[in-house]
Amino acid sequence: MLRALLAARCLCRPVPRLPPPPRRCRGSSRPGEPALSLSQRLAAVAAAAGLAGAGWLWLREQKERRRQRRRREELRELALGRGDFQLQDHTGRPRSKADFLGRWVLLYFGFTHCPDVCPEELEKLSRAVELLERQPRLPALQPLFITLDPERDDAAALRRFLRGFHPRLLGLTGTADAIASVARQFRVYASAGPRDADGDYIVDHTVLIYLLGPDGLFLDYYGRSKSEAQIAQSVQRHMETYEPLPQ
Ligand code: NI
């Protein structure tokens, strides 16, 4: 009786249809997922590794930029090279700080009678400028030499001395007061030693190459231990990451 009833019910209700069994694909670990060939998997792994690598490079770049910005701000707080100067170049033309605004400047203080250090540093500075000139997309860089010995280094003495260095190296001289003032701005120490029988003397002085940005503010400095390649690399880095600070 019961069986007959069940059978009767079954007859009056449609038998539910089961969904078709999932098709299994060869190579797929789970049913219903498309297969990945070995080369596709390798490509996926490579793409993931590439993304991770790019992400790491990006993070490193951001960190380096932050580090550079911090260093720039610290150096600017030293307020080196602020203020103007009134000097004349080795052709006799008056030059002020404003003449160099908008240009990158590598600046060195020294004196033309210096037996070895100043010529060495100016050769290094010249080679650094040449390295940077090989990259035409970088902005132009003005090499500058300011004498700390205005008594002997007039325009003619500068002209003779500068012949051995970069053709665009500009020499600046001026009155003793004007030179003392610009040296103070950059905290450059200079002290003339005792004169020998010929009246010759050595000027003891700070040996640093300064980098000034297009706004005329001091950005970095390079001591004697820095090579021309290191200087060029640092200058390039400053050029590529340069952001004028709000005044
Ligand atoms: Ni010197």
Side-chain angles (χ1 to χ4, degrees):
M1 181 65 184
L2 184 65
R3 197 176 295 165
L5 272 175
L6 282 172
R9 280 188 71 180
C10 285
L11 279 177
C12 62
R13 296 193 71 183
V15 179
R17 296 185 77 180
L18 290 172
R23 269 189 290 170
R24 288 187 72 107
C25 304
R26 213 154 52 95
S28 174
S29 56
R30 288 168 60 191
E33 280 182 1
L36 283 179
S37 70
L38 181 63
S39 63
Q40 282 172 319
R41 287 192 201 191
L42 286 175
V45 169
L51 272 179
W56 181 79
L57 280 177
W58 183 82
L59 281 176
R60 197 179 62 164
E61 173 71 16
Q62 294 305 308
K63 193 176 161 200
E64 174 62 17
R65 277 180 183 262
R66 277 199 303 276
R67 194 189 66 79
Q68 284 253 345
R69 193 173 302 137
R70 261 201 315 275
R71 173 166 166 77
R72 202 159 52 218
E73 282 162 12
E74 281 164 11
L75 290 174
R76 286 197 173 185
E77 276 168 22
L78 291 175
L80 288 193
R82 288 184 197 252
D84 202 4
F85 59 71
Q86 302 294 333
L87 301 170
Q88 56 164 294
D89 70 20
H90 64 266
T91 69
R93 187 175 152 191
R95 294 285 190 164
S96 70
K97 179 99 175 276
D99 293 338
F100 303 100
L101 288 182
R103 272 189 281 176
W104 290 80
V105 171
L106 268 183
L107 167 63
Y108 179 78
F109 289 86
F111 68 113
T112 69
H113 285 69
C114 183
D116 43 25
V117 176
C118 286
E120 279 168 20
E121 290 303 290
L122 283 172
E123 270 169 30
K124 191 171 81 180
L125 186 151
S126 298
R127 288 194 301 267
V129 175
E130 281 166 14
L131 284 176
L132 290 159
E133 280 172 340
R134 287 188 204 158
Q135 303 189 59
R137 66 190 172 81
L138 293 180
L141 181 69
Q142 175 63 58
L144 269 190
F145 169 71
I146 298 184
T147 182
L148 294 169
D149 185 13
E151 185 183 326
R152 291 182 292 187
D153 289 344
D154 57 8
L158 288 179
R159 275 199 300 279
R160 283 194 299 277
F161 176 66
L162 293 178
R163 268 182 217 134
F165 305 105
H166 193 281
R168 288 195 298 105
L169 178 59
L170 200 64
L172 298 180
T173 185
T175 64
D177 282 348
I179 292 295
S181 158
V182 69
R184 256 198 317 276
Q185 284 175 30
F186 286 90
R187 301 194 195 174
V188 166
Y189 165 81
S191 170
R195 288 164 199 258
D196 66 15
D198 301 323
D200 260 353
Y201 54 92
I202 291 288
V203 180
D204 186 21
H205 64 93
T206 305
V207 179
L208 286 176
I209 294 173
Y210 295 90
L211 175 67
L212 311 185
D215 50 11
L217 295 180
F218 164 75
L219 281 179
D220 217 335
Y221 64 90
Y222 311 103
R224 287 187 74 186
S225 63
K226 288 276 187 284
S227 69
E228 62 261 34
Q230 288 172 317
I231 296 172
Q233 196 177 36
S234 166
V235 171
Q236 178 175 348
R237 185 87 201 162
H238 277 288
M239 287 172 165
E240 287 171 348
T241 58
Y242 177 70
E243 290 163 23
L245 287 185
Q247 295 296 306

